[in-house]
Amino acid sequence: MRVLMKVRIGRAALYAVLLSTGVTFAGAAPAVDAADAAQHVPPEPALNSLPALPLAQMSAMMQMDDAQHTGRVLLEQLEWRDTDAGSAAVWEGFAWYGGDYNKLWLRTEGERVRGTTDNARAELFWHHLITRWWNLQTGAREDFGNGPSRGWVAFGVQGLAPYWLDVEATAYAGEAGRTAARLRVMYDLLLTQRCIVQPEAEMNFYGKSDPDRQVGSGLSDLEVGIRVRYEIRREFAPYIGVAWRGLFGATADRTRAAGFSVSDLQILTGVRLWF
């Protein structure tokens, strides 16, 4: 009996202490006297209260309008390379303008060796969202540089594959029954929030030979590279890296016959910009 009385007294004392600190229990409310109620002061109303607005106006104020158009220019690669043919300036960039579902998309890449454009292309697409991760692209491509210009119509997809691989796959059809295909795969590996390793691979296929541009049928070329960039700002990121370029099939045979190498390991440095 003495032990039971001590436990009951201790529990009551503990409950009184918790109530004095403001702790509440389910099914029980602490007693509040008139003095405490008189000291309670409600908070002041907001200085800038938001008036009741229609949903469309509210979405526009919060920039949630799906029909709003935006644009961006991204220079993915603007770099200098040490190649077998000499110092080379290489570029690859994108620009787009439009809404969430439809955009006008411009893509260009090329290489200048010793002040002469060796090989370059420009592509203009209608870019349409078809799933959460994939976009449909259709438009035109123009090749220029070494040899006569070539025009193509283009059809392809661009998006994120499993494991966050950035994929571009495009098929082309040109004059005189020419066909081509391009596949590019890229991945961003974050070492830190600012230091990023970017492996990349690109390959080009042609349905028939084009002697005027030193291109053979089948797999024409493959380039594999890795770049390490540091984002001083998201809009400005210098990088260094290495790239290997190889020619294959009839393209390699034509290049060998002209006295040039069909494989080249290149050291590179550049900057990635967007605005």
Side-chain angles (χ1 to χ4, degrees):
M1 179 64 70
R2 292 178 180 179
V3 174
L4 180 61
M5 290 295 295
K6 289 181 180 179
V7 171
R8 287 180 178 177
I9 294 173
R11 184 180 299 176
L14 177 62
Y15 188 71
V17 172
L18 293 176
L19 287 178
S20 66
T21 61
V23 177
T24 61
F25 298 86
V32 179
D33 56 17
D36 292 338
Q39 293 177 359
H40 174 69
V41 179
E44 297 182 359
L47 297 178
N48 299 311
S49 59
L50 185 65
L53 297 174
L55 179 60
Q57 187 174 354
M58 179 86 65
S59 299
M61 291 179 59
M62 300 178 67
Q63 297 183 352
M64 297 173 59
D65 186 7
D66 291 340
Q68 184 179 8
H69 288 183
T70 59
R72 178 173 295 178
V73 176
L74 168 63
L75 289 174
E76 184 72 42
Q77 298 172 12
L78 184 61
E79 62 193 31
W80 169 90
R81 296 190 185 188
D82 182 19
T83 71
D84 288 344
S87 298
V90 178
W91 75 89
E92 180 179 344
F94 312 87
W96 64 87
Y97 180 81
D100 290 344
Y101 295 93
N102 295 286
K103 292 182 176 69
L104 186 65
W105 188 283
L106 175 66
R107 181 169 67 198
T108 179
E109 63 179 82
E111 180 179 18
R112 287 179 61 86
V113 180
R114 295 178 179 177
T116 303
T117 301
D118 183 38
N119 190 21
R121 70 183 62 167
E123 298 173 276
L124 184 64
F125 294 119
W126 169 62
H127 185 88
H128 178 68
L129 180 70
I130 53 177
T131 68
R132 179 180 299 180
W133 306 109
W134 291 95
N135 301 277
L136 177 69
Q137 294 181 324
T138 180
R141 160 184 155 184
E142 183 75 13
D143 292 348
F144 52 95
N146 185 22
S149 299
R150 299 294 189 213
W152 311 79
V153 293
F155 179 83
V157 292
Q158 181 269 337
L160 283 177
Y163 304 102
W164 301 101
L165 296 175
D166 189 354
V167 176
E168 298 172 11
T170 314
Y172 305 93
E175 301 174 352
R178 297 186 182 92
T179 57
R182 173 182 178 268
L183 176 64
R184 179 173 179 263
V185 181
M186 185 174 62
Y187 180 75
D188 281 354
L189 175 62
L190 275 69
L191 300 182
T192 68
Q193 292 297 318
R194 292 180 180 269
C195 185
I196 300 170
V197 178
Q198 185 186 68
E200 177 190 10
E202 179 180 335
M203 59 185 69
N204 290 279
F205 303 84
Y206 291 91
K208 61 187 300 186
S209 297
D210 187 353
D212 293 333
R213 291 189 62 86
Q214 298 296 313
V215 171
S217 60
L219 175 60
S220 173
D221 60 89
L222 168 66
E223 181 174 315
V224 179
I226 185 168
R227 295 168 178 81
V228 181
R229 72 175 184 264
Y230 184 81
E231 294 184 343
I232 298 175
R233 297 182 58 185
R234 293 296 302 274
E235 302 87 351
F236 181 80
Y239 61 82
I240 58 174
V242 61
W244 176 85
R245 178 181 296 174
L247 305 179
F248 300 89
T251 302
D253 294 339
R254 294 178 183 277
T255 303
R256 247 187 240 105
F260 297 102
S261 173
V262 299
S263 178
D264 190 8
L265 183 64
Q266 306 167 354
I267 303 299
L268 59 91
T269 182
V271 63
R272 182 179 187 265
L273 303 167
W274 66 264
F275 48 89

